[in-house]
Amino acid sequence: MFEVLAFVYENFYAEDSCPEPAHLQRKLSGVGFDPEEIADALDWLTGLGNAARFAKPAVAAIPTVLPAAGFHLPTTDSMRIYSPREQNHLRSECIGYLHFLDHAGITPAHIREVVLERAMAVQDGPVSLDELKIIILMVFWSFGQEPDALALDELCETHETRTIH
């Protein structure tokens, strides 16, 4: 599924350039992705659209339950405590990375919560750090935002491509 999501991000990043699900499914099939992976990715993207629609920044300061996603929107003074289920599904490497992004001001609380909701929606777990980075990019994309250049560079880098200076 993550190869499909990465392909969608790389090829349809420009706002409003992603085709409708049926058309996207045909494009992904034409490229050669497995039908099951395509279906999983399209379901995941539908969930992303629903979560992002309910978590827009204009309402992020109001603590509200998101009916479609089942989570509360945080306030600016909220402190995030990860449940045991989240800790098992994300592991310490991913939680540490989310903590880093949060304290660096890269992921506002409403984006972090959508990232967590979408990470928990991944059936196969635990989620790896590289998979989490794809989720983060997709969430920013769903909000029509792009992280700053240094954050984007960090999100697009994998352990295999990292050069230690």
Side-chain angles (χ1 to χ4, degrees):
M1 175 182 85
F2 284 99
E3 287 100 13
V4 175
L5 293 176
F7 179 86
V8 170
Y9 181 83
E10 290 171 0
N11 290 279
F12 303 109
Y13 180 78
E15 192 172 327
D16 297 328
S17 73
C18 191
E20 293 297 316
H23 190 240
L24 180 59
Q25 183 176 12
R26 286 191 300 275
K27 281 185 175 274
L28 294 169
S29 291
V31 173
F33 286 110
D34 178 65
E36 188 176 320
E37 285 185 340
I38 294 170
D40 289 347
L42 291 176
D43 287 344
W44 191 91
L45 286 169
T46 298
L48 174 60
N50 291 337
R53 189 171 42 257
F54 287 108
K56 291 294 182 191
V59 296
I62 303 168
T64 308
V65 174
L66 302 182
F71 58 84
H72 292 275
L73 290 174
T75 60
T76 55
D77 61 346
S78 295
M79 183 173 96
R80 185 62 162 91
I81 306 290
Y82 296 91
S83 72
R85 184 172 166 260
E86 290 170 332
Q87 291 175 26
N88 287 332
H89 196 68
L90 296 173
R91 305 292 170 122
S92 60
E93 183 179 38
C94 290
I95 291 173
Y97 191 74
L98 288 170
H99 185 75
F100 160 73
L101 294 176
D102 197 26
H103 287 282
I106 295 168
T107 52
H110 66 282
I111 287 181
R112 180 198 62 227
E113 291 306 310
V114 174
V115 166
L116 284 167
E117 189 276 332
R118 290 289 76 209
M120 296 304 293
V122 174
Q123 297 300 316
D124 301 326
V127 174
S128 73
L129 182 58
D130 289 338
E131 292 169 341
L132 181 68
K133 288 179 178 183
I134 292 170
I135 292 170
I136 293 166
L137 288 170
M138 296 301 290
V139 170
F140 270 106
W141 178 51
S142 72
F143 279 94
Q145 298 177 356
E146 184 175 312
D148 67 40
L150 290 176
L152 187 61
D153 185 49
E154 170 66 28
L155 287 167
C156 292
E157 194 171 77
T158 64
H159 292 295
E160 294 80 33
T161 62
R162 183 174 295 249
T163 302
I164 298 175
H165 297 279

